[in-house]
Every structure is written in C-alpha cells, then in structure tokens.
Amino acid sequence: MTTATGDELVVLQDVHFGYDPNHVLLRNIHFRVRRGQVVAIMGGSGSGKTTLLRLICGQHAPLSGSVRVMGKDLGRFTHAEKYAVRRRLGMLFQFGALFTDSTVFENVAFPLREHTQLPESIIRDLVLLKLNAVGLRGAAHRYPAELSGGMARRVALARAVALDPELILYDEPFAGLDPISLGIIGQLIRRLNDALGAGSVLVTHDVTESLDIVDYVYFVSEGGIVAEGTPDEIRAATHPFVDQFVHARPDGPVPFHYAAEPLAQALLGRAQ
Amino acid sequence: MMDWLVTPLRHIGARIINAIWRLGFILRFFAALLLVSGQSFTRLHLTLREIWFTGVLSLSIIMVSGLFIGMVLGLQGYEILQRFGSGDALGIMVALSLARELGPVVAGLLFASRAGSAVTAEIGLMKATEQLQAMDMMAVNPLARVAAPRFWGGVISMPLLAAIFSTAGVFGGWLIGVVVIGVDHGSFWSQMQASVDFRIDIVNGFIKSVVFALAVSLIAVFEGYDCHPTAEGVSRAITRTVVQSALTILALDFVLTSFMFRGLS
Ligand SMILES: Nc1ncnc2c1ncn2[C@@H]1O[C@H](COP(=O)(O)OP(=O)(O)OP(=O)(O)O)[C@@H](O)[C@H]1O
Ligand SMILES: [Mg+2]
C-alpha cells in the first residue's frame, strides 16, 4: 500500500457531482487507485456507484473538486486527450453494451481493429485468448442476442480488457453469474490486474467474494463515502453501515427505499 | 381574462422557439459530422457497407415503384395528350416528369421511409442499449464510426436510386404507351431525345436528388443520434424522420423548382 505517488492511477479530491446541478448526488468524495491495486466500491442500489465510474472515465465532469486520471486532470482535457486516456482504459458496462449486430468475436476484436494495425491472424489469436480466459471461446461465432445475461457480461469483460488497459473499470462484473463462474471471474480480474500491472475498480454487491480478491474497499451511501479500508479492516469494522452490508442485515443505516414520502402518506394522500 | 388568447399564443411561441432550437442543433450536428467525415472516408469499407444496406437493398422497391409510376404516367399522359392530338409526345411527357420531378421526389420519399427510418432505428437502438457510449469509452468517436458512414452512404446512394427510379419509370411509360396502347415506337424515343435537355432537365433533377439526399440522410442520422434512449423514444424518432423528411423534400422541391424552372421557354 505504500507505493510512490507517481503510481496513482486515479485520484478524486473533494469531488461533488450531480446530474442536475441543483441536486448534488455525490459530495466530498476522496478516492484513489494505485497501480497494482484492485479497489472495490460497494453500496446500496442507486447510491451513485455507476456515477462514480462515469466521473473516473470522464463521461461527466464534477461540479467541483478534481478528477485526476493517469496523472492528468480530466476536467481540463480536450476531446483528443480524453480519447488518449480512454485508449489505456477498459470499461465493463453494467448492462454489457455489446454491439448487437456483431458476433462475439467481432465485439472483442473491435478495440483491436480500431486502435491497432495488427494483422488479422494476430487479432484472431488475441481475441481467442481473451475469450478463452472468460470461458467463451466456443461461443465466438454467436451473436449477443443468443447469449445468456452472464455470458454476455463475460464477453463484455473480454472486450474491456482486449487492449490490455492500464486501468480497468468493472461495473458489477458478477451480476448474473453462478457461484462457479463468479469465483473464476473474480480470480481472472485479480490475475489480469497483476499480470498487466494495472489498476482496477470493481463495483460489486458480492461482499464475501470480492473481499477475497481486492486490496481496498470504499463504501458509498447517501452521496458520500461512509467507510473505507483494507478487507481485513472491513471485516473487523464495527461501523454500523459496514456491519449491515457485510452481514446483509435488512435493518440498519442503509435505506432500501428511494427517497420518498412515507408509504402510508402516499396511499392516504391518494384516497383523499 | 385573456387566457383564451394568451395560452394558445404562448403555446405557438414555445413551439416555434423549440423548432428554431432544433434547427440549430441539426446544423451544429451537421458541422460536427462534416468535421469527422475525413476519418470515415479513410475507412471506405464502413461507407460501402452502408451503401449496401441503404442503397442496394432499396433497389427492388425503387425499381418496382418507378415502373408503376411510369406506367400510370403512360396511361394518364396518353389520355390527356390524345385530346390535343399529340399522343406521339408521350415520350417527352413521361421523361420530363420523371427527370425533373417524380424521380427525385418520389425516390426521396421512398428512400426516407425505407432507408431513413432504418438508419434512425439502428442508431437509436444503439444509443438506447449504451452501444454508442461504449464506443465513446473505447475512444472510438461514434459520430465518425456510426453516424458519418450512414450519412454518406445515404448521400451517395439516393441520387443513384433516383436515376434508377426515373429509368424504370421511362421503361414503364414505354411499356404502356408503345407496347400496350400502340404509340409509334420511333417517335416515342426520338421526340424524347429531341426535347430532354441534359443541362436543364437531367442535371437539375440530379441536383435536386443530391439536395434531398443530404436532407434525408442528415435528418435520419440526427434523429437517431438525438432520440430519447428508450423504446418509445426510438419509435418517436423514427416517426419524426419519416414525417420531417417528407415535409423537407416537398418544401425543398418547391424552392428548387422555382429557381431552376422559373421562366423557362
Ligand atoms: N443519466 C442520469 N441522469 C439523471 N440521474 C441519474 C442518471 N443516472 C443515474 N441517475 C441517478 O443517480 C443516482 C445514482 O445512480 P447510479 O446509477 O450511480 O447508482 P448505482 O449505485 O450504480 O446503483 P445500482 O447498484 O443499482 O447500479 C440514482 O438515484 C439515479 O436515479
Ligand atoms: Mg450501477
């Protein structure tokens, strides 16, 4: 954990963000990822995890605070510089976002074809290797519509890492996976990160599985980071939020409901 | 008190302002599209693929429609010309109506509903399923990779389709006029050749079809790119493409015609 500051891939400092400037969704976010680290973001549904990833990849600009990725301030990037950073960045979308008109093979080959001049035979080998790593080499000729949700997600993962990125963002890579694939994909994320010497950010709900493979965890709730630490610290933590999350208790500080008037009021209000 | 007057006025005003905003957006989009078009021409296979999808696959509907329009022109034209005793001029009438008006306009309308709507649907669905975003995240500009090839594919194929439409129409007119009704074969063609002017009729018709092609392709690509990323949003965008393309073609046709053919002869 004590690497030099030059190894910091992502640094968010005092970031505030809201899709609507009047409605701040994330506040006082301090967040960092170092080279070689796998960092998890956990938190309830709708707490802003995906939003945080969008900030890191420069899809949205923060209202205030700074987002530095690979040593450069994303807020001051031109379009071309942003693309230069994104070329070194892999992103797994929460809903896969595969190209539905291309086969699995072409989906994974897409970044290679767009950004490299590699001959076809090498592209073919690279794609098959990536597909093999997610266990789907046999599905190379299929179309995304013919895959199950979990398979599509694994293809998206293969595509996200096709260019051997330095920073990989995974939005819920484990959703829709059975326990066996889940374990394999978890290990894959860890091994990939170590082999590439990259940094990874992992948004996930699978607390126990991810605690085994990550180096650091951030808990997001109600627009802020409420707890952070190494997996050991997290397991030992007494913070009510972390305790509730790690042990999946229904009652605690995490609200299940999206902010709204009380149910009784909503129902009675209609009756009046 | 004046509500009955103010409310509708406000409504109309809002719609007009909205329309102007939208026009501004479209033009800005057009500028952005032209800016990245250089990239997509260096990768010609993308545009060729779109020419295949929008152009080649529209061939059958264009040819069949052209043939029927020509056949109707043959019937109606002969009936009218016959009243003035000039049934032999049928060739002129068929060829001029097709080259000057019907070719570009009807081919444009067919193209908008056959290919324009498909382009809007395709781009809209890609947007709704985050595919455009995913491309953007992979440092591939969706404007250059998705929008520009489809735009140029349409711009290139539509004038060619209009020409094919007119050709099929002339053939249809000949079929009815000469083969069925019995107009003299020789005078049908020779009068046509003598009266159709390359510069005035063919080139002007071609210019029309190029302008329509630019308009329809721009509308189709823009609507797809701009739609709400939902099922309903996509379906609305498709409707807008077809309606706006049709209105734009007809309005532009009037403007172009009044410049091109005003005060001729
Ligand atoms: N494009 C958007 N425009 C406006 N609001 C949005 C947008 N995307 C998300 N939100 C809102 O921002 C909040 C956080 O959304 P986000 O997608 O970041 O949640 P999340 O933590 O990823 O949830 P989940 O675990 O369910 O994926 C939600 O309340 C959502 O309604
Ligand atoms: Mg999310």
Side-chain angles (χ1 to χ4, degrees), chain A residues 49-51 94 171-172 203:
Chain A
K49 305 181 297 294
T50 300
T51 307
Q94 185 162 8
D171 200 346
E172 309 207 0
V203 169

Side-chain angles (χ1 to χ4, degrees), chain A residues 101, chain B residues 46-47 49-51 53-54 111 118-120 122-123 126 142-157 217 221:
Chain A
D101 293 329
Chain B
L46 292 177
T47 308
R49 183 174 169 275
E50 296 312 322
I51 292 178
F53 277 115
T54 53
F111 185 79
V119 164
T120 305
E122 204 182 358
I123 298 182
M126 289 183 82
L143 209 57
R145 182 68 170 68
V146 175
R150 282 168 177 76
F151 174 75
W152 289 111
V155 171
I156 293 169
S157 10
S217 307
V221 171

Side-chain angles (χ1 to χ4, degrees), chain A residues 124-219:
Chain A
R124 185 176 167 277
D125 292 350
L126 285 174
V127 171
L128 291 183
L129 277 175
K130 297 292 179 197
L131 282 175
N132 199 44
V134 296
L136 288 174
R137 187 163 44 88
H141 57 279
R142 293 221 190 184
Y143 281 87
E146 302 165 346
L147 302 178
S148 75
M151 286 161 82
R153 189 161 292 266
R154 278 144 70 194
V155 174
L157 200 156
R159 186 180 68 177
V161 299
L163 281 175
D164 292 345
E166 289 170 54
L167 175 64
I168 319 174
L169 312 174
Y170 302 94
D171 200 346
E172 309 207 0
F174 302 139
L177 295 188
D178 61 83
I180 302 170
S181 335
L182 196 155
I184 295 173
I185 296 298
Q187 287 307 317
L188 176 68
I189 289 174
R190 180 75 245 182
R191 271 190 294 117
L192 250 169
N193 193 71
D194 296 345
L196 296 175
S200 303
V201 181
L202 186 68
V203 169
T204 173
H205 295 293
D206 291 270
V207 183
T208 37
E209 286 78 8
S210 46
L211 282 184
D212 291 339
I213 59 164
V214 303
D215 301 305
Y216 207 76
V217 183
Y218 289 91
F219 280 94

Side-chain angles (χ1 to χ4, degrees), chain B residues 90-151:
Chain B
L90 183 65
I92 306 176
M93 163 168 177
V94 169
L96 284 186
S97 352
L98 281 164
R100 286 182 173 189
E101 289 296 331
L102 292 172
V105 171
V106 179
L109 294 175
L110 288 172
F111 185 79
S113 37
R114 163 69 177 74
S117 59
V119 164
T120 305
E122 204 182 358
I123 298 182
L125 275 175
M126 289 183 82
K127 183 175 181 184
T129 50
E130 286 190 320
Q131 295 180 43
L132 296 183
Q133 261 187 46
M135 254 182 217
D136 197 36
M137 283 311 307
M138 289 187 263
V140 175
N141 189 346
L143 209 57
R145 182 68 170 68
V146 175
R150 282 168 177 76
F151 174 75

